[in-house]
Amino acid sequence: EDVRKVAKWIEPILFDDPIAELSGKIYRELRHQKQLIEFRDIFIGATAIHYDYQLATLNQKHFNRIKSLELINI
């Protein structure tokens, strides 16, 4: 119920071609460094970078691996 209430005033963000391309770039970089994370986290990170958003997460260990992603400590 709480999620439904909050979701009413949050606009969805589309996953489009530029974000998909950025996701692929991030994937290749992380794979090359042997630092891969889940593909869903790569999509989230790429979306935040594309829109120049900061990302609030409890999973700093994985998201710290994505260059140019600005994280918020929570």
Side-chain angles (χ1 to χ4, degrees), residues 53-66:
Y53 291 159
Q54 295 176 328
L55 181 65
T57 179
L58 295 174
N59 190 359
Q60 300 247 342
K61 180 180 174 185
H62 283 178
F63 285 106
N64 274 330
R65 299 177 190 180
I66 300 176

Side-chain angles (χ1 to χ4, degrees), residues 2 5 7 9 16 26 36 40 43 61 64:
D2 291 337
K5 287 179 184 177
W9 46 272
D16 57 12
I26 292 168
L36 271 179
R40 290 172 286 218
F43 293 163
K61 180 180 174 185
N64 274 330

Side-chain angles (χ1 to χ4, degrees), residues 19 43-55 69-70:
I19 296 171
F43 293 163
I44 292 167
T47 302
I49 292 169
H50 178 77
Y51 286 103
D52 198 29
Y53 291 159
Q54 295 176 328
L55 181 65
L69 179 60
E70 190 174 344

Side-chain angles (χ1 to χ4, degrees), residues 7-46:
K8 287 181 181 179
W9 46 272
I10 295 177
E11 264 188 66
I13 299 172
L14 296 178
F15 185 82
D16 57 12
D17 288 341
I19 296 171
E21 290 176 18
L22 181 55
S23 296
K25 180 181 174 189
I26 292 168
Y27 172 85
R28 286 188 300 276
E29 288 175 1
L30 294 176
R31 186 182 65 191
H32 178 74
Q33 299 167 2
K34 297 184 172 136
Q35 295 289 317
L36 271 179
I37 59 176
E38 283 192 40
F39 69 91
R40 290 172 286 218
D41 290 344
I42 292 173
F43 293 163
I44 292 167

